[in-house]
Amino acid sequence: MHIILFEDNQVNHLYPITTGRAAFSVSIGSLRLLDLVEKLGGNIEPIVRPHLKKIVQELIPNSWSPEKGKRKGPLLIINARTVPYAAMLPIWKEMLKFAERGMILRSGNEVLAACIGEKEMSRLPNQEIGTAQLLGLLEDIQLSTVEQKFDIDTIQAPSDVIRHHLLAIDGNIEYRLTNGNYREIMDGVFVPDDDFPSPVIGEHFISNTKNGPILIEAGVNIGPFCYFHGPVHIGRKSKVIEHSAIKDKVAISKVCKIGGEVEASTVEPYTNKQHHGFLGHSYLGSWVNLGAGTCNSDLKNSYNEVSLETPYGRFPSGMQFLGCVIGDYSKTAINTSIFTGKTIGSCSMVYGFVTTAVPSFVNYARSFGQVTEIPAEVMIQTQSRMFARRNVEQKDADIQLMRDMFELTRTERQLTSEPLSL
């Protein structure tokens, strides 16, 4: 079987989440779309934006390339913005039954997924292809169109990542428990049965699993006097400091340092929120650092729906609780306060009160009357120091990604002269 994961032209609408990562590597409910697709077996062929190709090669080292020979069917095609509900696996397997006669799933003009057999696959050239070429082929084949016969959701806006996280985490943690090798160490608290090193849980750990289980992966270190309220997933080799409250639909990825109060949020790998402060209904990218005392608001005083504010405008979220979305490599200073529904771009340094959307690659101290651009070379040096602290090698692809992200986000920084808005 051959699987194509393709990014369409809607991924740019998900900035800053997808500025430096492929849409299929966004964590939602503790899983990435890539994690689920890998369970199907077969060769994976990613089709991504040009600046992400080398990064994705590192992410999927065994991905298909023309040098590996002809694609072998059946072919399953999946939109990279598909929300990674664990329930997607049986849907894709059911679709494969229709491969020989072909099927395409749409929602309006949006291609959600498709499957075709060996015969139609012969139309694909034995070379790398782009999204336009792939979608053009699907149009030429004239497959039977199915309008949402299967329940498939896609990410349309950054706020969708948080909204679907809240809906997906229960089923995704249950999927992990059902398909993994875990043992229950206390009521509703699970750790790997045979993975090394074993998690370390400090004294006076209190858990509440009435609303969902707590899953703690290998190498996790939890300090004393912590309170966990499930469902919660803590990724490999992450650390939770003493006196922390991790509660109600929290997914922490691998190698993170987390402290304070965290609620209903996703944290991507290598991110630090090590000190006290509140994080709620939010998404943090990778290599983010929140300074001591940083807090965000996730509920308006009026209790109205929260609009997500980006450098390109405000967009309705349909959510009463919505915190912040922070792109990869961004940092906050001590006691930073982030207002409800704000986005912070990639590679920015933030100080004081965040009352507007923050562009990428800026020093943002708008409450002090200052917003300045950060050169890409400064962030490359910062990246080098961060990687060294975690024993991660900085590769040429990482350096080039910084330069590419800087160029891709130039238009964001043209909006920083706007007045303060609360």
Side-chain angles (χ1 to χ4, degrees):
M1 180 172 64
H2 194 89
I3 303 169
I4 292 180
L5 283 170
F6 74 94
E7 289 192 325
D8 59 17
N9 58 11
Q10 299 298 307
V11 292
N12 294 340
H13 296 172
L14 306 181
Y15 282 11
I17 294 175
T18 56
T19 305
R21 70 174 65 235
F24 54 69
S25 64
V26 176
S27 297
I28 299 179
S30 87
L31 288 172
R32 305 171 303 173
L33 180 62
L34 179 61
D35 297 327
L36 292 178
V37 169
E38 288 176 336
K39 297 297 182 182
L40 293 170
N43 293 314
I44 297 176
E45 178 182 352
I47 300 178
V48 296
R49 290 156 288 165
H51 74 284
L52 294 178
K53 286 186 176 181
K54 290 185 178 180
I55 294 295
V56 168
Q57 287 173 2
E58 298 284 344
L59 180 66
I60 317 175
N62 296 320
S63 60
W64 180 87
S65 63
E67 295 76 24
K68 295 184 178 180
K70 186 179 179 181
R71 300 176 182 87
K72 296 180 180 179
L75 172 62
L76 180 63
I77 300 167
I78 301 172
N79 191 313
R81 293 184 294 107
T82 301
V83 179
Y85 287 97
M88 290 302 307
L89 280 170
I91 290 176
W92 292 325
K93 291 176 181 178
E94 181 68 20
M95 284 185 61
L96 287 168
K97 297 178 181 179
F98 298 89
E100 285 307 312
R101 65 181 184 183
M103 172 191 288
I104 183 169
L105 305 184
R106 297 181 185 272
S107 177
N109 294 325
E110 182 181 54
V111 174
L112 305 175
C115 59
I116 57 178
E118 290 273 8
K119 179 180 178 181
E120 299 295 352
M121 280 181 67
S122 62
R123 299 193 186 196
L124 286 173
N126 193 43
Q127 62 188 40
E128 291 185 3
I129 59 173
T131 296
Q133 190 174 2
L134 175 67
L135 297 181
L137 170 70
L138 294 178
E139 293 296 332
D140 290 343
I141 296 176
Q142 296 183 342
L143 301 173
S144 298
T145 296
V146 179
E147 292 286 348
Q148 280 289 55
K149 175 182 179 181
F150 300 99
D151 190 13
I152 298 176
D153 292 297
T154 55
I155 313 165
Q156 304 288 333
S159 56
D160 286 346
V161 172
I162 299 168
R163 180 168 62 86
H164 283 292
H165 162 77
L166 301 178
L167 297 172
I169 189 168
D170 294 277
N172 286 2
I173 289 181
E174 183 62 33
Y175 167 80
R176 286 180 177 274
L177 289 171
T178 302
N179 293 276
N181 190 9
Y182 295 93
R183 58 188 173 90
E184 194 171 13
I185 60 171
M186 57 185 77
D187 186 26
V189 180
F190 298 86
V191 299
D193 193 31
D194 57 359
D195 211 348
F196 182 83
S198 297
V200 175
I201 300 177
E203 295 181 330
H204 310 295
F205 173 78
I206 298 176
S207 61
N208 182 335
T209 57
K210 180 180 179 180
N211 294 333
I214 295 166
L215 181 53
I216 302 169
E217 301 289 359
V220 170
N221 189 309
I222 298 173
F225 300 100
C226 286
Y227 171 70
F228 279 33
H229 187 293
V232 167
H233 179 254
I234 310 293
R236 291 174 57 89
K237 297 184 178 181
S238 283
K239 178 181 179 181
V240 181
I241 71 167
E242 63 276 4
H243 297 280
S244 296
I246 310 298
K247 56 187 186 181
D248 193 20
K249 300 182 184 293
V250 172
I252 309 296
S253 300
K254 66 179 183 178
V255 201
C256 294
K257 296 180 181 179
I258 302 298
E261 182 184 2
V262 183
E263 179 182 12
S265 295
T266 291
V267 180
E268 296 281 18
Y270 295 99
T271 280
N272 286 356
K273 182 209 171 297
Q274 191 167 353
H275 304 285
H276 289 284
F278 173 72
L279 177 74
H281 292 86
S282 295
Y283 172 92
L284 304 186
S286 291
W287 301 100
V288 170
N289 188 80
L290 301 188
T294 294
C295 292
N296 79 278
S297 167
D298 62 0
L299 176 65
K300 297 177 70 172
N301 288 340
S302 63
Y303 296 86
N304 285 337
E305 173 188 346
V306 179
S307 294
L308 186 73
E309 185 175 351
T310 77
Y312 305 101
R314 292 175 181 264
F315 301 94
S317 70
M319 302 170 67
Q320 186 181 43
F321 286 88
L322 177 62
C324 59
V325 173
I326 302 181
D328 300 333
Y329 295 102
S330 283
K331 326 287 182 204
T332 67
I334 61 169
N335 295 323
T336 300
S337 297
I338 306 171
F339 281 38
T340 317
K342 298 297 182 279
T343 59
I344 297 175
S346 300
C347 303
S348 286
M349 310 295 185
V350 181
Y351 310 83
F353 292 96
V354 179
T355 60
T356 64
V358 178
S360 299
F361 287 89
V362 296
N363 285 302
Y364 178 97
R366 188 182 286 271
S367 52
F368 307 122
Q370 296 179 356
V371 177
T372 59
E373 186 175 78
I374 299 176
E377 298 307 313
V378 170
M379 288 308 304
I380 290 170
Q381 294 171 10
T382 302
Q383 182 191 63
S384 175
R385 299 184 194 107
M386 294 173 64
F387 280 17
R389 282 166 51 90
R390 298 296 186 91
N391 296 314
V392 174
E393 179 187 359
Q394 185 187 41
K395 299 181 179 179
D396 291 341
D398 300 309
I399 294 172
Q400 186 59 47
L401 178 62
M402 282 289 177
R403 293 174 177 147
D404 290 338
M405 287 196 298
F406 181 84
E407 295 299 327
L408 287 168
T409 57
R410 277 189 181 275
T411 55
E412 295 179 20
R413 292 183 289 282
Q414 297 172 359
L415 306 176
T416 59
S417 59
E418 293 179 349
L420 282 173
S421 61
L422 302 182

